[in-house]
Amino acid sequence: MSEKFDVIVVGAGPSGNAAAYTLARAGLSVLQLERGESPGTKNVQGAILYAHALEKIIPDFRDHAPLERHVVEQRMWLMDEAQACSGMTYRDEQFAQPPHYRYTIVRARFDRWFSEQVREAGATVINETTVTGLLKDKNGKVVGVQTERDGGEIRADAVILADGVNSLVAQRAGLREDIRAEHAALAVKEMLFLPRETIEQRFGIGEEQGVVIEIAGRITHGMVGTGFLYTNHDSLAIGIGCMLSDLRRQQLSPYQLLEGLKRHPSIRPLIEGAEMKEYAAHVIPEGGYKALPRLYGDGWMIVGDSAGFVNAVHREGSNLAMTSGRLAAETLIALKTRDKPFTASNLSAYKAALDGSFVMKDLKKYAEVPSFLHGNPHMLGTYPSLLNTAAREMLMVDGTDKRTKQRRIFAEVREKRSLLGLVGDSYRFWRAFK
Ligand code: FAD
């Protein structure tokens, strides 16, 4: 392609679409390249869409985006092998009133819709094209991309890397290292189809309303990870993910964990009779703040999962992806308006914008969490198990007096964790999550 663009965006997931849409709306010439047959075909997500991030890009998205259900209830389950202690169930009637804050979505449909908006905004979108490398000038400034097509060099004043967790393009160009196993979670997900009314009846929700269940505990065999179950219109998304380093050490596959989760007595009745139609596996960057790569340089910026922008504590990724894509685009728009070149020093405004946003603030807040969870197998193993034991003791009305039950619980706690260990864990927990 001989034409030169203002910006090339690599990838058409939420971060790339947010960037390309924002740039095209502002009148910049944008080329977006996606390796998938169509946007969304390669993408995996639970998927919860957080409205705030998309609202800043397409304020009226609720009128036309393919949304599934709006979430009215959040459940947090701490599971043992055959028990589930509902750590928290939060249902809010305010969540049932528009405008809704969280929706379930099906990524294949959602990404296709978002991509249509990008095209309508004026960007050139080309699918089935893999970017294989970056073009640099003699000073090392990024000046375009190399694609796998014949004569596939395309030039631009800036390149936004939105190519997802592995970001091979950034790695090959020496802008980022490969993700380390202890910073990557491998998640698997299935789509289980059920009639709409069955879902509403089983989860106690009305038409268009949805439930989110987040799950931790023994289902991950003590590894750092969580599971989830979300309601769509006529399907359920169920999944589980654990850190790659843990899976390797324990020689377990996420598929085995997912089968275990589906067999759990608290899950089985919810999914009974459902038809499994889709299975997908994907890596999630969960290294957090301390694992972030360099975010910009001469002629380039990196956004979304490629930059490692995932808040694993709150299971947020797509909102960080869309926000970082938008902020990268706004940085370029502001520079273009002032006729300033896309040099590293000028693009540092992107990092400043991220620092001022919830993206960096939240990542910084939980900077210690990944190492805390890695170094403490009790958090997702021993403690959920103890909580379930305590719940069983107290809820089993069998003629034993409550003080005796309390003594039994304390004895079990002392057997599983020393007093010193308990105090240390509480302090480290407070430090990591404060
Ligand atoms: P991606 O969505 O990965 O998009 C990258 C795009 O780049 C893809 O379309 C890919 O095909 C394309 N691409 C890659 N390489 C090239 C190349 N060389 N050339 C051209 N194109 C290329 N987040 C939430 O907010 N809520 C959730 O409920 C949630 N649940 C999740 C559940 C699972 C199982 C997983 C795996 C993730 C979940 N996430 C969730 C995280 C969320 O999916 C990601 O944070 C988000 O998709 C990141 O968007 P992105 O655009 O940066 O990357």
Side-chain angles (χ1 to χ4, degrees), residues 65 102 125-126 136 138 154 195 208 254 260 396 414 425:
R102 280 190 301 171
V125 182
I126 304 182
K136 292 184 184 174
K138 60 180 187 333
I154 314 171
E208 307 299 324
M396 181 98 78
R414 276 201 301 274
D425 289 346

Side-chain angles (χ1 to χ4, degrees), residues 88-160:
M88 183 190 81
T89 294
Y90 185 71
R91 191 171 178 124
D92 194 330
E93 268 317 294
Q94 205 185 321
F95 288 174
Q97 308 305 321
H100 308 297
Y101 300 103
R102 280 190 301 171
Y103 297 89
T104 51
I105 52 167
V106 174
R107 272 292 295 273
R109 282 204 283 271
F110 177 79
D111 285 11
R112 218 173 302 127
W113 166 83
F114 204 168
S115 182
E116 279 159 25
Q117 312 310 304
V118 174
R119 266 181 222 273
E120 278 171 27
T124 304
V125 182
I126 304 182
N127 297 323
E128 293 186 273
T129 304
T130 301
V131 172
T132 52
L134 294 177
L135 304 177
K136 292 184 184 174
D137 68 11
K138 60 180 187 333
N139 299 318
K141 180 184 183 296
V142 172
V143 291
V145 299
Q146 175 73 49
T147 71
E148 98 271 58
R149 292 177 182 245
D150 282 347
E153 285 192 358
I154 314 171
R155 297 196 169 256
D157 291 330
V159 174
I160 295 182

Side-chain angles (χ1 to χ4, degrees), residues 11 13-15 34-35 43-46 48 107 131 163 305 317-318:
S15 63
E34 164 60 43
R35 69 178 169 171
N43 298 338
V44 183
Q45 191 178 324
I48 305 297
R107 272 292 295 273
V131 172
D163 51 336
D305 273 16
S318 61

